[in-house]
Amino acid sequence: MNIQLLDNPFPHVLIENFYNEKELSLIQEEIKFLSYPNKLYKPGVHHAGTEGLTESRALHLEKAYTIPELSNILQVTKKTLDIPFISTIVNKWPQLLRIKYVDMIITKVRYYHNNEGYEPHTDIKHEFLTFSYFHTIPKKFSGGELYFPEYNYQIECSHNTFILFPGYVQHGVKKVLIEDSAYWNGDGRYCISQFMAVKNSDKYG
Amino acid sequence: MDKQIHQIYHVARCGSTLMTSLLSTVYQAYSEPSWSASFLLGIDPYKNMESFYGSVVKFPSLTSCFETNFPGNKVFLYRPLAQHLCKIKSVDPLWIENRLRKTDYILKKYNHPAINWIPKDKLDRVTYVWLCSVFRMLDSSNVLWITTNSFLEDKKETLKLVCNHFNIPEVTDFSLCDVNVKKSGLNGKDIPVIDTFYQSKDIEYTFPSYGLIETKMALYDPDIQRRVEEIENLFPQLKDYLY
């Protein structure tokens, strides 16, 4: 795991090799299961995304699983709120204190195939966003970078990379380009997104 | 009966309960039984140990601050100081307060002679306990030193080393690996750990790398970086244990 807490161009955490071998295996098992036809939804269906901004398909996991323990991904992504990790973020950036009180997370698995990206937008309803990226090795597509147009900044989104940043930061995904690959082969870019919010802040004074 | 105790010492919040739980699948293992806190209560620790001969006993973390001479091999599970401070800064403040009260007792009555340093604040006192444990373990013999990260990164290989050190059968059942053992109420019981597991109604699972802390991450906290550097200057002989 290679962790970086970066101040510029905005506070964000970037981690390469975020999940360990066992965690990756659990994630990939579920991604494979979700990659069969009709398990990921087009934008506008079952909270899968905003029509007009993307053509990529997604699944909102908390809606799909009434028992979260049944989802490997919902179990393993608890790692993003591991307390020492969150404490370190707050100790470095006191202005991000509210991340300690996150009590609502929406988790989505999103798949980008050929010619699919996400137009720039903000997720201002959510205070923090995390994205983890997965793809086949070797990588069979180009593009798919996460970019931040207001800052002229982008990250490559290589396999098992994780990023966390505040929800007010505008971001988009550059179009993925794949040659000669059927959609359900899953040769494109997978992203596990977490949208984090503090729903009940009254109890924290 | 084998008049030895296979002893596990540790620095707290470092995976020792999980290690004891895994050992309990092959051997009689206790996690901080009431007798093991004798040092902290000012009671003769050798008085009630006979019934634990031949077992694995995980001691309360503060016990490693005392000079111990129990017969048998020892394991010392620890986090380097930077990782330890990162972990402790993230735990419930009430737990730390409770621990600090006992720290004062150690500082006044059982200070290790190598520590000529007076802690100034709460986190310094946490550091002091860590120092005391490390110095006591350096003084001790037959100690297998294990870092938390090496244990959590490869539980099977680490347990092989521990079982070999204790000369007990090797652990083969790792199904407890991802259990959040802190939520299973295993500590402080006078019955073997595995029996407490059997009595537990709900077992909570966590993610596989739970507990791992990278030094690089810990040092992003400027407060931790400053304190570890101070300790490195004061105790250069401990440099290998700090990061």
Side-chain angles (χ1 to χ4, degrees), chain A residues 1-6 18 20 22-23 26 75-80 82-85 87-88 91-92, chain B residues 86-87 89-91 177-178 204-214 216-218 220-222 224:
Chain A
M1 187 154 90
N2 178 25
I3 182 168
Q4 299 176 81
L5 273 66
L6 301 164
F18 180 59
N20 73 12
K22 187 173 176 185
E23 291 161 345
L26 288 165
Q75 282 297 104
V76 168
T77 53
K78 285 179 183 173
K79 181 171 183 168
T80 62
D82 189 26
I83 298 170
F85 174 56
S87 296
T88 303
N91 291 332
K92 175 162 172 62
Chain B
C86 181
K87 180 67 182 182
K89 280 186 88 167
S90 71
V91 305
C177 257
D178 300 331
E204 188 180 308
Y205 284 83
T206 185
F207 52 92
S209 63
Y210 177 78
L212 276 168
I213 293 177
E214 303 273 337
K216 186 177 174 184
M217 182 184 87
Y220 272 113
D221 181 337
I224 291 177

Side-chain angles (χ1 to χ4, degrees), chain A residues 23-36 39-40 59 61 64-65 68-76 109 190 192:
Chain A
E23 291 161 345
L24 263 181
S25 162
L26 288 165
I27 288 170
Q28 283 169 324
E29 262 178 31
E30 191 166 344
I31 281 180
K32 189 177 176 193
F33 166 73
L34 294 176
S35 296
Y36 286 102
K39 289 194 167 68
L40 299 177
L59 182 69
L61 295 183
Y65 294 97
E69 288 77 15
L70 292 180
S71 164
N72 291 348
I73 292 173
L74 289 179
Q75 282 297 104
V76 168
V109 172
Y190 286 93
I192 297 176

Side-chain angles (χ1 to χ4, degrees), chain B residues 1 7 23 49 72 75-76 117 121 133 137 144 147 160 173 185 204 230-231:
Chain B
M1 186 187 284
Q7 302 149 57
L23 290 170
M49 65 187 287
V75 162
F76 181 49
W117 171 70
D121 60 16
S133 300
M137 286 296 137
L144 176 65
T147 63
K160 201 186 267 185
D173 177 0
E204 188 180 308
E230 184 189 348
I231 295 301

Side-chain angles (χ1 to χ4, degrees), chain B residues 35 38-39 42-48:
Chain B
W35 144 85
S38 303
F39 279 111
I43 300 168
D44 175 11
Y46 299 93
K47 196 176 167 188
N48 298 311

